[in-house]
Amino acid sequence: MSTVPLVASARSATVPKAKSLWSSQLTWSQTLSRMTSLRRRQYLRRISPSHILALRLRSKTESEKTANRHAFEYGARQRADRLPLLLLQAWLTRQDTQNEPGLSASIRCITPSEWSDRFHTLASRGWSKEDVDHWIWIFSGEDGDARVQRLTSTETPKPIFLVTFLARVDEKFRKAESLLSLMEYISKHYFGPEPFSSSNDMGYSSPKITMTVSQFLILLRRLVVHVLRLWPRSIVTVARFTVDYIRSMPSEPGTTDFHHKCKVFNTSLQLFKRPSSIQPLANMEFNWRAQRILLAMSDNLDNPLIINRASYRAVRQVMVGLKKSQTEKAVAMRYAKSWPPYRQDFDGLDAKRTAEDDYSRSVKAGILGREAGYPDDHYDQALSALGGMGANSPTVQTRSLPPKEWKGEEEDRNVYSNWAMLVRATRNTREAWKVFSDLASKTGKTPNVQVYAEMFIKLQARQLNPNSHALPGDSRESFPIHDANYSEYELARLSPPTVRELYDQMISRGVKPEGHCLHTLLINADSLEEGIRYLRDSGIDAAIVNALTLFKQPSYQVLWKIPLLTFKSYIQLLCRLQPDRRGWEKILPNELLQIRHAIKLARVRLRPITTEASTFRPPWTIILRALARPHICLINGTQADNDAEALAVSMDVLDSLERTAGVDPDAFMYICRTVQKAALSRLTSRESQSGESTRRNLSPLLPDAEAVAERLKSMFSQLTRVVQTTGFNFPSPKFMHVVGPAHLHTYMRTLAFLDDAAAMAQLLRWMLAHRRDVDDEARRIEPRGHALVAKTLCAFQAFAAPRLSHEDQVDLVSMMEDEDEDEDEDGNGGGTGFWRWPTQEDVDHYVQSDLRGGSQRLQRRVVLGELWDDGLSRREVRETREEGVDMASG
């Protein structure tokens, strides 16, 4: 039988040309056109009017309108009475469509009599032409925040589809108040005791509409996406919003009302398990708070709601990301050094404890699920492994995001999720390799990319700092290996392979690097060539991979084809490989250009007009963090020249970030660090040059210090803006951004290097005014949280207090004492010792503990400035400087 392909044989057959399968090039083109048109028609039949409306709203340029013209023309030709379609067509009549002849012709086909009939039908449903005009005005706002503000500015009824449309996933919000306003408006106008329906009908029959279960769940999913992207801590507010809806639902016996409540309850529990896009592990605490609000609501009902299997699992997925409780910490401290890590008894109380007493919260939740009738499967075992319990022996309880959950036809692949989590729930490379190898022998399966990824992470992990107080499972660092009394042969047998050896094994087994595995390898590659190899092995088109290399000019169309997280990992690789200064050794130009290439790629991929650019910040943050490195080399020059260049590049990157996703606290902190190192390098350079006047030494450390200080103050003001919650019924977080002790300490020191004592005093007043919020953040990052608060106070006393008047200092001390008294009266633990005014010994210790010498140099500068201001002569100042005056700070 011939194996020649049908098309090839048809083209090469020796039959008359007129009878050929492909009789002519024109016929071939016509056939392709018909196939394309058929696919387009099938797509258009599935597209909803709301989706066409969103496409039109996003299409700002002529090229975007041309790309979506078939959808627009299809929407203009329809004659259904659905409100989104009527709204779309009415909006199109007001637009200039001269450059869109097909769309213009379709709109003109709607005659005045048809419009009259349609508005007459609309009136019978309770709406009018004026209502349509009002809706058009609402979604014609310049951005998502403006559209929500217009929606909530009037009390006139609006159809539910308009609310769900404004909350669509691709909408862009910048203000926390927009999400609050949306929830408040919905609760006020659409929650009520009228009969509910679980159908997907959008309910346009009356302007006084009660939101159905399906409508609410559509809206809830969209709200959760926006909240986790913009304001993760307000997931707790969304939980209260959900409870409000459930309580407003009817509870008639003998109906499906209880089933509907359970559906909303369980769907919400599962939605609230999603990690946020901002510090997902740190914010998992608030996911748990949101779930607890729902669980508490259910417990207080006369007939508690039923928790299904997926919801038990969702609770466990959140619990594995929480910090250890005191009991769990006690268990972790008692792990045996050998593997498996059985608990050791330290005293008689430990001996009385049973194995069940040592279970973590996640494992206990799994037991409750089994008691409710839901037996464990491979994915539940994976969660148990992270919770500290393997199939037959304990593991290391590991704080982690939940593993990938395979569903449907791929559910059997959860066996690999369990395998991967067992590898993750170890303390070092030897334990991980033992688990990796033992399960391969036991199951007879080849590890998949998910399992290999966890092993690569262990092999590439940093060693734990000997002075660290971290417990096993608290961080990714590798803990010391316990050798026991193994022979050299046994130690060699137990030793894990290198990354290169394991990678070669993976490739030889036909497993390609992808997803998390590819990102891990890419971030930790030893060279760009190695990183390019990983990208090529992953299956990404070679032309696209080549476009990423140095000295290339890739287009947006090329970079858009690279998955966003893979793109971020490549940016991280470029930044990590940017060299540090090596004395006076010259560094090759191609090495110096790596971070600039990363900036160029980020600007092309994250264009301001795209949704990705407005929602994806990590590449910019990674670049700013690299530029803040102490010894990064950007040019072949002195340390001062390099640090000045780093600051100039950082400010340029900051401009790009502000035009796209906006600044966050981490980006702010990295900018502050870059300012500090540039100022310190200039100060060090001045001190090393002899013969300079004191006046020159006391001049600003940066040429544009005042402009830099003003920009930092503007950023801090933006990040610490209080969310306006007046008039809202749902309690919500006070700030949209989280500015913690580390940010405050860095900002205080930066202002000191910029000689802005007034701004330092203003920062201290802000801290005192929001003391409880700062305390909450300090407790959240213990044990170093309150230590950073104390350091911030010492920095102020060392570098700002000597520059302030006596009246200003007295005012600040009085303000701190007043705050102490207020907290004592409220019973909130005033006078804890962390907020006391630092003594001279505290300040001296803080200054001398700076191993890089920056604090000492800065304090000398402050003291010399005070002496100069007091009117001492240049000779007296020089003598005082040489003698090394006591650097008292007031």
Side-chain angles (χ1 to χ4, degrees):
M1 182 176 179
S2 174
T3 60
V4 180
L6 174 62
V7 173
S9 61
R11 286 177 170 170
S12 61
T14 58
V15 295
K17 188 174 182 180
K19 296 182 180 180
S20 173
L21 182 60
W22 310 114
S23 57
S24 67
Q25 184 64 36
L26 178 60
T27 305
W28 170 239
S29 300
Q30 290 173 343
T31 302
L32 286 179
S33 178
R34 285 196 299 270
M35 294 170 62
T36 304
S37 298
L38 176 61
R39 287 195 293 268
R40 185 184 303 125
R41 288 195 299 272
Q42 292 173 343
Y43 163 72
L44 292 176
R45 290 192 190 102
R46 295 193 300 268
I47 192 171
S48 68
S50 293
H51 185 53
I52 300 175
L53 199 59
L55 283 176
R56 189 67 183 181
L57 200 60
R58 289 202 305 267
S59 300
K60 304 295 185 182
T61 64
E62 292 300 325
S63 60
E64 290 173 329
K65 292 178 181 178
T66 301
N68 297 312
R69 65 184 179 87
H70 294 292
F72 300 151
E73 293 172 7
Y74 173 78
R77 289 194 301 268
Q78 302 307 301
R79 294 297 181 267
D81 290 330
R82 298 179 63 183
L83 286 185
L85 184 63
L86 182 62
L87 183 60
L88 169 67
Q89 294 172 351
W91 185 37
L92 290 174
T93 61
R94 304 184 181 194
Q95 297 184 10
D96 181 7
T97 57
Q98 291 181 358
N99 296 329
E100 302 170 272
L103 179 60
S104 180
S106 300
I107 289 297
R108 287 198 305 269
C109 286
I110 308 177
T111 64
S113 61
E114 285 183 293
W115 279 116
S116 178
D117 292 341
R118 297 174 80 181
F119 283 123
H120 180 74
T121 303
L122 192 67
S124 66
R125 298 161 61 184
W127 307 109
S128 66
K129 182 178 182 302
E130 289 70 25
D131 289 327
V132 176
D133 294 338
H134 184 62
W135 304 339
I136 292 175
W137 173 75
I138 288 173
F139 69 73
S140 297
E142 61 182 7
D143 55 27
D145 298 308
R147 286 188 273 273
V148 169
Q149 194 277 330
R150 291 184 178 189
L151 173 78
T152 59
S153 64
T154 64
E155 296 297 324
T156 57
K158 288 100 176 173
I160 292 179
F161 95 85
L162 188 61
V163 178
T164 55
F165 176 80
L166 295 184
R168 66 192 187 282
V169 174
D170 64 347
E171 185 58 280
K172 304 173 186 177
F173 293 114
R174 286 291 185 90
K175 297 179 180 178
E177 289 87 351
S178 297
L179 298 176
L180 281 179
S181 298
L182 202 55
M183 287 187 281
E184 186 71 23
Y185 183 85
I186 293 167
S187 173
K188 181 178 180 180
H189 292 87
Y190 302 110
F191 290 2
E194 286 83 0
F196 280 70
S197 170
S198 61
S199 67
N200 202 30
D201 177 28
M202 297 307 286
Y204 305 129
S205 59
S206 170
K208 295 182 179 179
I209 305 168
T210 298
M211 187 170 281
T212 66
V213 169
S214 295
Q215 291 167 352
F216 177 78
L217 293 180
I218 289 172
L219 180 70
L220 184 63
R221 290 186 181 94
R222 297 178 181 183
L223 280 175
V224 168
V225 169
H226 288 301
V227 159
L228 295 179
R229 179 191 296 164
L230 179 71
W231 195 18
R233 296 189 174 188
S234 65
I235 191 70
V236 180
T237 306
V238 179
R240 296 188 179 104
F241 170 74
T242 305
V243 168
D244 197 18
Y245 176 75
I246 293 176
R247 287 174 176 165
S248 74
M249 297 173 68
S251 301
E252 296 295 330
T255 65
T256 58
D257 292 339
F258 182 75
H259 170 74
H260 291 157
K261 285 189 176 183
C262 289
K263 182 178 181 180
V264 174
F265 172 69
N266 284 290
T267 304
S268 303
L269 284 173
Q270 294 158 42
L271 288 174
F272 296 161
K273 75 179 181 182
R274 296 181 180 179
S276 70
S277 56
I278 305 171
Q279 297 182 331
L281 203 57
N283 282 314
M284 198 59 76
E285 168 191 347
F286 300 94
N287 294 67
W288 173 229
R289 290 187 188 181
Q291 288 184 334
R292 280 195 311 181
I293 288 173
L294 288 173
L295 294 170
M297 179 273 300
S298 175
D299 287 342
N300 290 327
L301 295 176
D302 295 335
N303 188 13
L305 303 176
I306 299 173
I307 307 176
N308 63 21
R309 179 185 189 127
S311 295
Y312 273 111
R313 183 172 289 177
V315 170
R316 299 189 67 192
Q317 287 171 314
V318 170
M319 283 183 168
V320 296
L322 301 178
K323 288 184 177 180
K324 291 183 175 71
S325 65
Q326 291 301 320
T327 301
E328 291 166 345
K329 288 180 180 178
V331 173
M333 293 173 63
R334 288 161 172 75
Y335 286 147
K337 294 182 179 180
S338 57
W339 187 262
Y342 291 104
R343 173 175 58 80
Q344 303 175 101
D345 294 338
F346 284 3
D347 51 36
L349 294 177
D350 288 343
K352 294 180 180 179
R353 292 175 60 86
T354 64
E356 290 75 13
D357 293 331
D358 294 339
Y359 287 163
S360 67
R361 289 166 290 177
S362 174
V363 172
K364 291 177 180 178
I367 294 174
L368 291 177
R370 289 196 295 273
E371 292 175 350
Y374 306 118
D376 281 356
D377 59 12
H378 289 301
Y379 190 81
D380 294 308
Q381 293 171 7
L383 294 176
S384 294
L386 291 176
M389 180 54 61
N392 301 308
S393 60
T395 61
V396 173
Q397 183 188 348
T398 302
R399 188 185 185 192
S400 166
L401 294 177
K404 180 177 178 59
E405 181 180 2
W406 300 94
K407 298 180 180 180
E409 296 179 355
E410 296 182 312
E411 189 174 359
D412 290 343
R413 299 182 67 179
N414 281 323
V415 65
Y416 294 108
S417 294
N418 181 32
W419 190 347
M421 293 307 101
L422 286 169
V423 173
R424 181 182 296 183
T426 56
R427 291 169 291 197
N428 50 53
T429 55
R430 180 181 293 173
E431 293 176 356
W433 180 243
K434 176 176 175 58
V435 172
F436 181 95
S437 304
D438 289 351
L439 281 174
S441 302
K442 181 179 179 180
T443 62
K445 295 179 179 291
T446 299
N448 74 342
V449 67
Q450 190 177 1
V451 181
Y452 274 112
E454 294 300 327
M455 195 62 225
F456 282 126
I457 291 173
K458 288 294 182 181
L459 292 174
Q460 294 166 335
R462 294 176 299 177
Q463 294 297 313
L464 184 72
N465 188 318
N467 298 323
S468 173
H469 298 290
L471 294 172
D474 283 349
S475 62
R476 286 285 191 173
E477 283 83 3
S478 182
F479 278 69
I481 294 175
H482 178 61
D483 287 335
N485 294 319
Y486 294 136
S487 65
E488 291 186 6
Y489 171 80
E490 186 66 11
L491 291 175
R493 187 184 70 82
L494 294 174
S495 298
T498 64
V499 171
R500 182 176 295 275
E501 290 170 345
L502 187 65
Y503 183 78
D504 291 339
Q505 179 197 104
M506 182 180 78
I507 295 298
S508 67
R509 292 178 172 179
V511 180
K512 292 183 178 181
E514 58 185 16
H516 191 43
C517 180
L518 174 61
H519 305 155
T520 298
L521 291 168
L522 199 54
I523 290 170
N524 294 283
D526 292 330
S527 64
L528 280 181
E529 292 73 21
E530 185 177 330
I532 293 298
R533 178 197 175 189
Y534 294 145
L535 289 170
R536 286 174 176 158
D537 289 347
S538 70
I540 297 177
D541 186 84
I544 298 175
V545 175
N546 291 335
L548 290 173
T549 56
L550 295 178
F551 309 111
K552 295 293 177 67
Q553 298 289 336
S555 65
Y556 172 77
Q557 288 71 22
V558 171
L559 294 182
W560 181 80
K561 297 177 182 178
I562 302 174
L564 204 53
L565 292 179
T566 302
F567 176 77
K568 185 225 38 167
S569 300
Y570 186 72
I571 295 294
Q572 193 165 348
L573 172 64
L574 287 169
C575 293
R576 187 177 63 81
L577 294 179
Q578 183 72 18
D580 287 339
R581 293 184 70 253
R582 297 190 284 265
W584 293 103
E585 179 184 345
K586 296 291 185 181
I587 296 177
L588 297 177
N590 61 326
E591 292 185 69
L592 294 177
L593 288 174
Q594 290 176 122
I595 196 167
R596 298 183 191 273
H597 185 59
I599 295 171
K600 180 178 68 175
L601 293 177
R603 284 184 174 145
V604 174
R605 175 66 188 269
L606 302 175
R607 300 189 301 179
I609 60 175
T610 61
T611 301
E612 286 180 342
S614 63
T615 57
F616 195 66
R617 191 181 289 112
W620 299 118
T621 307
I622 290 168
I623 292 169
L624 290 173
R625 182 176 61 197
L627 290 169
R629 272 175 19 209
H631 302 294
I632 190 171
C633 186
L634 297 178
I635 56 176
N636 281 312
T638 64
Q639 179 74 52
D641 292 338
N642 264 286
D643 291 341
E645 181 68 13
L647 178 57
V649 175
S650 292
M651 289 301 180
D652 197 27
V653 171
L654 182 60
D655 291 337
S656 298
L657 179 57
E658 289 179 332
R659 288 194 300 268
T660 53
V663 178
D664 70 342
D666 287 343
F668 172 74
M669 183 167 66
Y670 297 140
I671 288 288
C672 287
R673 289 179 182 174
T674 308
V675 172
Q676 279 188 46
K677 72 172 186 175
L680 178 58
S681 295
R682 185 69 61 88
L683 179 59
T684 304
S685 177
R686 287 182 182 179
E687 287 190 350
S688 65
Q689 297 174 7
S690 59
E692 292 216 19
S693 67
T694 305
R695 175 70 68 185
R696 170 69 184 278
N697 284 339
L698 295 177
S699 62
L701 296 175
L702 298 177
D704 51 353
E706 186 175 348
V708 171
E710 289 301 319
R711 189 163 189 182
L712 291 179
K713 286 186 282 188
S714 175
M715 291 167 59
F716 183 77
S717 176
Q718 175 187 344
L719 292 173
T720 56
R721 186 180 69 86
V722 176
V723 176
Q724 300 301 317
T725 58
T726 305
F728 296 123
N729 293 326
F730 301 108
S732 58
K734 189 175 183 179
F735 301 102
M736 190 173 81
H737 298 285
V738 180
V739 177
H743 306 98
L744 296 172
H745 178 238
T746 303
Y747 183 41
M748 184 71 81
R749 286 181 59 86
T750 305
L751 292 173
F753 278 101
L754 293 173
D755 300 321
D756 199 335
M760 296 174 72
Q762 185 179 5
L763 174 58
L764 181 58
R765 289 190 178 93
W766 182 91
M767 292 175 61
L768 294 174
H770 301 282
R771 173 172 173 172
R772 294 184 183 178
D773 302 291
V774 176
D775 266 340
D776 288 341
E777 294 308 314
R779 294 189 191 99
R780 202 160 279 124
I781 61 171
E782 283 294 16
R784 61 190 182 93
H786 283 102
L788 283 170
V789 172
K791 285 184 176 182
T792 307
L793 298 177
C794 286
F796 174 83
Q797 183 66 6
F799 310 130
R803 302 176 180 180
L804 298 177
S805 66
H806 178 71
E807 292 75 14
D808 288 337
Q809 295 187 49
V810 170
D811 178 59
L812 289 170
V813 173
S814 175
M815 189 175 178
M816 179 174 288
E817 292 174 350
D818 290 343
E819 290 292 332
D820 281 335
E821 292 174 2
D822 290 342
E823 292 213 359
D824 284 335
E825 291 173 2
D826 293 341
N828 289 322
T832 59
F834 297 111
W835 283 89
R836 62 176 175 80
W837 201 260
T839 64
Q840 185 59 48
E841 290 75 14
D842 295 330
V843 174
D844 290 341
H845 176 74
Y846 170 76
V847 171
Q848 298 304 323
S849 62
D850 185 352
L851 300 180
R852 295 179 180 175
S855 296
Q856 295 93 319
R857 288 187 173 91
L858 184 58
Q859 194 179 51
R860 281 198 297 270
R861 174 182 168 84
V862 172
V863 172
L864 289 174
E866 288 303 299
L867 293 174
W868 185 275
D869 291 341
D870 288 342
L872 295 181
S873 68
R874 182 179 303 176
R875 181 181 58 80
E876 290 171 317
V877 170
R878 188 181 300 114
E879 291 175 355
T880 305
R881 183 181 180 186
E882 292 172 353
E883 292 171 2
V885 299
D886 176 25
M887 294 176 288
S889 53

